Amino acid sequence: LAKTTQPISMDSYEGQEVNITCSHNNIATNDYITWYQQFPSQGPRFIIQGYKTKVTNEVASLFIPADRKSSTLSLPRVSLSDTAVYYCLVGDIPNDYKLSFGAGTTVTVRA
Amino acid sequence: DTAVSQTPKYLVTQMGNDKSIKCEQNLGHDTMYWYKQDSKKFLKIMFSYNNKELIINETVPNRFSPKSPDKAHLNLHINSLELGDSAVYFCASSPPGRGSGNTIYFGEGSWLTVV
């Protein structure tokens, strides 16, 4: 199991780019890096996933250096509705049956 | 269409009672989970099931008993509820086969309050 470390909270303003870095020094060869977003009173939902280098979708970008010991989720031009908790999960889904999430990063976007 | 649905969403009950939370997924996934989220937002795995078979029981008290009647359902029964059981419980599922695109799909959560 790759343990992850990410900042507890981050504040931003509308229109800014938010970058959240997750450390996972013990990542294994078969592990993927997946980021989730959770709004209050809802379950976490998938944002983006990557194995190495850079991945981009309509919501975010994920940057993974060559050693894969960290990853950075980038949210471009955030809005108030991006206020949520963001979780970094590292593992080999579904073969890792014991995947637990950390406390996540609470991102607060202000007007 | 709700992919992973769980009921009830809110549950308030007294200490010592027995309660159940039901979960169903219509995604055709083989693996289902129960997670517990505490007040500090940690999401901890409780149980993992694969094809109705229990794979993981993560040091959960035996007052918690999951039951999987078929691949699409994983219910959680809790006996003799304690104050410390108050939390949000999430059911989840994931598809078979490793690799890119595999992810965990979560239900909306069940807020359990024990008084």
Side-chain angles (χ1 to χ4, degrees):
Chain A
L1 288 180
K3 207 170 173 182
T4 59
T5 304
Q6 47 184 123
I8 296 293
S9 63
M10 297 181 75
D11 287 345
S12 184
Y13 290 92
E14 283 190 293
Q16 289 189 333
E17 180 180 80
V18 171
N19 296 307
I20 310 170
T21 296
C22 179
S23 297
H24 29 82
N25 290 320
N26 298 322
I27 190 168
T29 303
N30 290 333
D31 288 343
Y32 279 76
I33 300 158
T34 311
W35 284 80
Y36 294 82
Q37 176 190 55
Q38 186 181 24
F39 296 116
S41 302
Q42 293 186 24
R45 69 182 187 110
F46 171 88
I47 301 177
I48 196 166
Q49 185 184 72
Y51 184 80
K52 60 181 178 180
T53 64
K54 177 183 173 183
V55 179
T56 297
N57 62 22
E58 64 278 4
V59 176
S61 294
L62 179 58
F63 299 92
I64 306 168
D67 65 7
R68 304 202 327 125
K69 292 184 184 299
S70 67
S71 57
T72 299
L73 174 72
S74 181
L75 305 171
R77 298 180 299 282
V78 294
S79 64
L80 295 176
S81 62
D82 292 316
T83 294
V85 180
Y86 292 83
Y87 294 95
C88 163
L89 181 70
V90 173
D92 181 17
I93 303 168
N95 301 297
D96 275 341
Y97 292 106
K98 298 171 64 172
L99 285 173
S100 282
F101 294 65
T105 298
T106 299
V107 172
T108 303
V109 181
R110 305 180 195 281
Chain B
D1 285 346
T2 304
V4 182
S5 59
Q6 51 183 113
T7 56
K9 187 168 176 81
Y10 300 101
L11 183 54
V12 180
T13 188
Q14 290 189 324
M15 281 175 54
N17 283 351
D18 304 338
K19 290 294 177 186
S20 293
I21 306 172
K22 295 185 176 181
C23 177
E24 175 182 3
Q25 53 96 3
N26 62 7
L27 298 166
H29 291 168
D30 289 342
T31 306
M32 295 187 72
Y33 315 85
W34 276 108
Y35 279 84
K36 179 179 180 181
Q37 187 169 45
D38 60 24
S39 57
K40 294 186 178 178
K41 302 294 186 185
F42 283 94
L43 266 167
K44 294 182 181 175
I45 186 74
M46 299 174 68
F47 300 101
S48 296
Y49 266 72
N50 186 258
N51 279 319
K52 303 192 303 174
E53 299 286 327
L54 176 65
I55 304 298
I56 292 291
N57 174 345
E58 271 297 282
T59 61
V60 178
N62 57 16
R63 296 184 295 105
F64 291 78
S65 52
K67 287 208 171 31
S68 182
D70 54 59
K71 271 179 29 171
H73 295 84
L74 181 61
N75 303 322
L76 183 65
H77 189 75
I78 315 170
N79 289 329
S80 304
L81 277 156
E82 300 176 357
L83 293 176
D85 297 331
S86 295
V88 186
Y89 293 86
F90 287 99
C91 178
S93 70
S94 62
R98 60 151 48 104
S100 178
N102 275 2
T103 185
I104 301 174
Y105 296 77
F106 286 86
E108 292 293 286
S110 295
W111 271 252
L112 173 64
T113 303
V114 182
V115 297

